[in-house]
């Protein structure tokens, strides 16, 4: 069964600084990868997804992620964060061999942007 | 479009009570899912459905039941509420093609006292 590890539970960063949120998944032949964002008291919103093709994926709000098959990683990056990026971020994987398009989520990383 | 709608938003139950969490979607998605979110644990899949009349267990199904009589609705039932079921519950839906993202409701915060 798939598993997802988000290596940092909390990441504090100053406004306008770059940030990287790390995600590793257990190895599989074919996976789809997702990053979701959750603002306080809201549901999850899709930031970006990797299905195939270019390993650098661009998403909403200036975020991007790089798929690295050899390291089974899918780290999320933003070159300059803003206060409004403060939220919890979840990495998720869908195994193509699993029925039902189910997602396995990491434990989440809370990004705190400070002024 | 309303997307995925969950009701109620908040609920407090006593131990042993039962209740149904409602979820409806207006995107004509075949696939629907129920998750629970606990602090520091991410989201865990409770049950999922790939179409009306078809449901299956996820990772943490014990203490819950579901039904799917229509494409739009996917209610989650707690029969005998226990303190361990205190959590935030999210419903999600997606198209059936592989790689389609799931769309989430705003959640139901449930406390069992």
């Amino acid at each position: 069964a798939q598993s997802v590890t988000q290596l940092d539970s909390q990441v504090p960063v100053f406004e306008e600084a770059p940030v990287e949120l790390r995600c590793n998944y257990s190895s599989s032949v074919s996976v789809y990868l997702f990053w979701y964002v959750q603002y306080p008291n809201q549901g999850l919103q899709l930031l970006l997804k990797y299905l195939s093709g270019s390993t650098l994926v661009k998403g909403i709000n200036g975020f991007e992620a790089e798929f690295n098959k050899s390291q089974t990683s899918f780290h999320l990056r933003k070159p300059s964060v803003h206060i409004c990026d403060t939220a919890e971020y979840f990495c998720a994987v869908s195994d193509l061999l699993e029925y039902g398009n189910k997602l396995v989520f990491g434990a989440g990383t809370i990004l705190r942007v400070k002024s | 479009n309303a997307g995925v709608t969950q009701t109620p938003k908040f609920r407090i139950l006593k131990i042993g009570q039962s209740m149904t969490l409602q979820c409806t979607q207006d995107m004509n998605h075949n696939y629907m899912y129920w998750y629970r979110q606990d602090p520091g644990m991410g989201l865990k899949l409770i049950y999922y459905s790939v179409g009306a009349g078809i449901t299956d267990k996820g990772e943490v199904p014990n203490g819950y039941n579901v039904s799917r009589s229509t494409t739009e609705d996917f209610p989650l039932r707690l029969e005998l509420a226990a303190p361990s079921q205190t959590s935030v519950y999210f419903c999600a839906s997606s198209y059936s093609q592989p790689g389609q993202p799931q769309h989430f409701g705003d959640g139901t915060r449930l406390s069992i006292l």
Side-chain angles (χ1 to χ4, degrees):
Chain A
Q2 281 288 343
S3 65
V4 177
T5 302
Q6 291 185 241
L7 294 154
D8 304 295
S9 59
Q10 294 197 36
V11 174
V13 63
F14 285 103
E15 195 173 16
E16 298 183 5
V19 71
E20 178 180 81
L21 306 184
R22 296 178 294 168
C23 172
N24 286 90
Y25 63 95
S26 54
S27 179
S28 176
V29 175
S30 294
V31 294
Y32 294 145
L33 294 156
F34 303 82
W35 275 99
Y36 284 85
V37 60
Q38 184 181 33
Y39 300 104
N41 299 315
Q42 293 187 24
L44 277 69
Q45 302 174 28
L46 181 69
L47 267 181
L48 49 80
K49 63 182 180 181
Y50 172 78
L51 303 184
S52 64
S54 172
T55 58
L56 185 62
V57 180
K58 294 190 182 298
I60 63 172
N61 301 340
F63 283 93
E64 62 183 30
E66 187 160 15
F67 170 63
N68 188 321
K69 187 172 183 178
S70 63
Q71 296 187 6
T72 60
S73 68
F74 191 54
H75 301 333
L76 181 71
R77 303 185 183 104
K78 187 169 182 177
S80 175
V81 296
H82 305 290
I83 298 292
C84 61
D85 292 322
T86 295
E88 189 161 17
Y89 293 79
F90 293 94
C91 180
V93 61
S94 177
D95 190 329
L96 271 65
L97 300 179
E98 287 276 333
Y99 175 68
N101 292 351
K102 294 174 286 185
L103 290 177
V104 175
F105 284 89
T109 298
I110 297 173
L111 176 62
R112 298 189 192 279
V113 182
K114 303 177 288 185
S115 59
Chain B
N1 285 341
V4 179
T5 302
Q6 293 184 236
T7 56
K9 294 190 184 304
F10 306 94
R11 183 74 184 268
I12 297 175
L13 281 182
K14 294 182 178 179
I15 295 171
Q17 287 185 321
S18 62
M19 77 162 293
T20 299
L21 282 65
Q22 301 291 345
C23 174
T24 188
Q25 52 92 11
D26 62 359
M27 297 172 281
N28 201 31
H29 287 165
N30 283 333
Y31 287 9
M32 295 189 74
Y33 310 85
W34 273 106
Y35 296 90
R36 60 176 289 170
Q37 182 183 23
D38 300 297
M41 303 291 289
L43 281 76
K44 303 292 185 185
L45 183 65
I46 304 171
Y47 271 95
Y48 67 102
S49 168
V50 297
I54 306 170
T55 63
D56 208 346
K57 296 178 181 179
E59 184 181 356
V60 290
N62 291 345
Y64 307 94
N65 279 301
V66 294
S67 59
R68 184 99 181 267
S69 57
T70 67
T71 298
E72 294 79 18
D73 300 306
F74 189 41
L76 177 73
R77 182 149 181 92
L78 284 70
E79 290 293 350
L80 290 171
S84 61
Q85 294 176 306
T86 293
S87 188
V88 182
Y89 291 85
F90 287 98
C91 179
S93 68
S94 77
Y95 291 112
S96 58
Q97 293 87 350
Q100 289 293 318
Q102 294 182 15
H103 299 257
F104 286 80
D106 285 338
T108 294
R109 294 182 179 276
L110 181 63
S111 294
I112 315 295
L113 303 176

